[in-house]
Structures are given as structure tokens and as C-alpha cells.
Amino acid sequence: MIFRSKPETMNRQAADWLARLHADDRSSQDEAAFHAWLKADPSHARAFENASTIWDAVGGLRDDPRPVPSRQPEGVSRRAVMAGGAGLVLTCGLGLGWQQARAGVYETGVGEQRRFVLDDHTRIMLDTSTRVRFTASPSRRLLTLTSGRVDVEIARDLRPFVIEAGDRSAVTQSGRLDLRRDGDVVLITAVQGKAQVQSADARVELAAGHRIAMQPGRQDKFDRPEIEDLVAWQSGRLAFRDETVVQAVTEMNRYSTRELVVADSHAAALRLSGVYRVGDPEAFARSLSVLLPVEIAVEPDVIRIATAR
């Protein structure tokens, strides 16, 4: 795990490690790095204890981001983790395996994520509420993103791979791209390799690690996001770094029909950092009530977050 040096805090690092140790792709290298982090400073162990206490208070993170009853990991002790004497093993609902795809339309519902292998051996992963269409001809391969988000690991081929999203397109021969489309707002990130991003009157090269945000009538914006945070959604997690509660709630609501509602402007403007499982809005809201001066009201279809009285 890579941490940014500033404005990082021990508490944020501890929260990151807790989420990483519960991740589906946790490795022996992660465990070794975690124990090295613990030994580096006595305050790290205390921060990890505090983060674990909050984890326990909200019932941990759900194993499956889809709306099904949660299953909690058994036999997991924070002290065992810190001592290296026990493993954290979660079975993730995303682990459906790669499904062979045929040319056509592929889509997901709310809270669903799916993986496909296209005819050209390109691998795609669809996020919640996503719809794409794939076609191939002797001269090119074409993936059209109608809505939502998709990770595309492009197989090398003599034919160019074109991804269309509204009036913009990204063209590459191989590599890995993350694309998101919310209405007329399109974000494209070159996770690996590079791509040519084209519109009717312009063309720019997007280098590895860079992102472009595009919206009609506005100037394109470029930045370099934290890639580990950017792709966290693929393991059913969202990473928030000093973001407002209303921004976090908007993202969490994409994964559930049970809506989170921020009741007042003060609560909406509070800021948070951390890594959270998607698909369990109540656990997310309860964690906010532990970390921030807010209170929650749980109703069958809505969870309200308000400034604590």
C-alpha cells in the first residue's frame, strides 16, 4: 500500500490498513508491509486499535456490495491481525469470475458489478448501473459507454480499440482505461498505457496516470488522481480523501436503493476521509455518527444524517 506523505495522518493510515487487510485481494506482501508499518512507530498500533474499535462498532464492512444479507468474517481479532497470527479472509460477491461475452449490450443494475471477457480477449468490469455496447469489425473494435463506469483492460490487437462516451472517444491499441459517464460529464483515466482522447475539433494524448474530465460548454480539466483510490470500486470499496459528507453520500447512493439523505447544510459540509464498503448505507451512516458530530435516523427506505443536537 502506498501512502501520500501529506496531509496524511496516523488515523487515516490505520483506516487504510484496516480496509486493505479485509480486501479480497489481500496478499502476503500486504501483511508484511502492514507489520513493518506497525513496528515503525508506537503510535501506529494505537491508531490501528482505534480504527478497529470503530470497525467493530459499525459491524465491519459487508462482504458483498450487492443488496443481499451480509456475512461477517468469523474468528477475526484485531490483536491476532497485529500479531500476525490469524488471517482475514472474506468471500467477495464480486468474485463471479470472468464471463465470456459476445458482441452486444452488457449492463448492471443498482449495486451490481460484473466482469466480462470480450471476443478480442479484452477484459471489462462494469460498475453499478452501467451500460455498454461492444462491436468489432475487421478495422476496429468499438465499446460504447452509455452510462455508469467501466474498467477496460484492452487486449493487444492490430485493430485500434475505440471507446465512445457521448461526443468524446478514447483510442488506443492496448492498455487499461477507467471511464465514467454521468449524463454529459465524462471522465477518462489512463490507468496503464496511453490513449488519444478525441472530440469533433480536438485531440489530446492522455499519459499513464492522468485523467481528463469533460463536459460540454466547459474547459477540459486534467489531473493525476491517486490510482489506488480510483480503482477501489473494483473491490467493492470507495476511498474518500478529505471530501464533504454530501460528496461521499452521493457516491454511496449509487450502490443502493436505500437512500442516504443529508438533512442540513452543516452536516453536508463536514469532511471525512476513509475507505468504505459499498452497498451497506446503514453501516456507512453509523460510522459517520462515530467519527463526526452527526446523528442518524434509520427508516425503512431512507437513512437521514443530521447535525447532532
Side-chain angles (χ1 to χ4, degrees):
M1 176 172 288
I2 300 173
F3 296 108
R4 293 184 300 280
S5 58
K6 294 182 180 180
E8 196 58 84
T9 67
M10 293 303 102
N11 289 336
R12 182 183 297 179
Q13 291 182 20
D16 285 343
W17 276 120
L18 191 61
R20 183 64 206 151
L21 293 172
H22 281 77
D24 316 306
D25 57 349
R26 169 175 169 262
S27 66
S28 58
Q29 288 81 6
D30 289 329
E31 296 172 19
F34 168 67
H35 289 293
W37 176 79
L38 276 182
K39 295 177 182 178
D41 191 309
S43 66
H44 292 178
R46 292 192 296 272
F48 189 81
E49 278 283 340
N50 292 336
S52 298
T53 299
I54 294 172
W55 175 286
D56 294 342
V58 299
L61 300 178
R62 288 188 56 188
D63 302 346
D64 193 336
R66 295 173 297 171
V68 297
S70 60
R71 298 160 291 173
Q72 300 301 326
E74 299 178 356
V76 173
S77 160
R78 78 185 66 131
R79 290 180 175 81
V81 174
M82 294 171 68
L88 296 176
V89 181
L90 299 182
T91 303
C92 180
L94 299 179
L96 303 177
W98 292 96
Q99 303 171 54
Q100 186 65 36
R102 301 300 176 194
V105 175
Y106 310 98
E107 55 189 344
T108 54
V110 175
E112 183 183 16
Q113 296 177 329
R114 300 183 69 188
R115 307 171 189 262
F116 293 100
V117 180
L118 303 180
D119 289 344
D120 68 337
H121 304 297
T122 290
R123 296 188 174 198
I124 63 173
M125 181 170 181
L126 275 60
D127 197 10
T128 178
S129 301
T130 297
R131 189 174 191 269
V132 301
R133 178 188 293 273
F134 176 71
T135 58
S137 71
S139 60
R140 72 169 183 173
R141 301 166 287 168
L142 175 63
L143 185 76
T144 303
L145 174 62
T146 304
S147 61
R149 187 172 194 171
V150 62
D151 179 270
V152 187
E153 189 176 343
I154 300 162
R156 187 171 293 278
D157 193 292
L158 294 177
R159 298 168 295 175
F161 197 102
V162 181
I163 304 174
E164 290 185 344
D167 63 351
R168 302 297 183 107
S169 63
V171 183
T172 187
Q173 213 66 41
S174 62
R176 181 182 170 195
L177 302 179
D178 181 284
L179 295 95
R180 177 169 174 174
R181 182 179 182 184
D182 297 309
D184 59 0
V185 179
V186 176
L187 292 90
I188 303 176
T189 307
V191 179
Q192 296 174 357
K194 60 184 179 181
Q196 294 282 341
V197 178
Q198 303 176 352
S199 63
D201 55 0
R203 175 183 298 183
V204 297
E205 183 169 293
L206 197 63
H210 290 73
R211 172 172 60 188
I212 182 172
M214 301 165 288
Q215 185 175 8
R218 296 190 178 184
Q219 186 174 1
D220 295 345
K221 295 182 179 180
F222 295 86
D223 69 349
R224 297 190 66 177
E226 185 74 44
I227 295 298
E228 185 177 357
D229 290 353
L230 181 83
V231 301
W233 65 269
Q234 295 177 38
S235 58
R237 299 175 292 147
L238 291 176
F240 302 120
R241 307 295 177 187
D242 193 33
E243 297 184 51
T244 64
V245 167
V246 72
Q247 287 173 323
V249 161
T250 299
E251 285 298 294
M252 295 296 289
N253 279 340
R254 295 176 57 239
Y255 294 86
S256 176
T257 56
R258 194 178 186 192
E259 188 178 12
L260 290 159
V261 174
V262 185
D264 61 85
S265 58
H266 182 268
L270 293 173
R271 308 192 80 86
L272 76 152
S273 297
V275 182
Y276 298 87
R277 275 286 181 190
V278 301
D280 193 342
E282 185 172 340
F284 172 73
R286 292 194 184 282
S287 69
L288 293 189
S289 69
V290 174
L291 296 168
L292 300 173
V294 298
E295 58 188 19
I296 64 172
V298 179
E299 302 173 16
D301 298 320
V302 174
I303 302 168
R304 303 186 188 280
I305 303 168
T307 303
R309 294 190 294 269

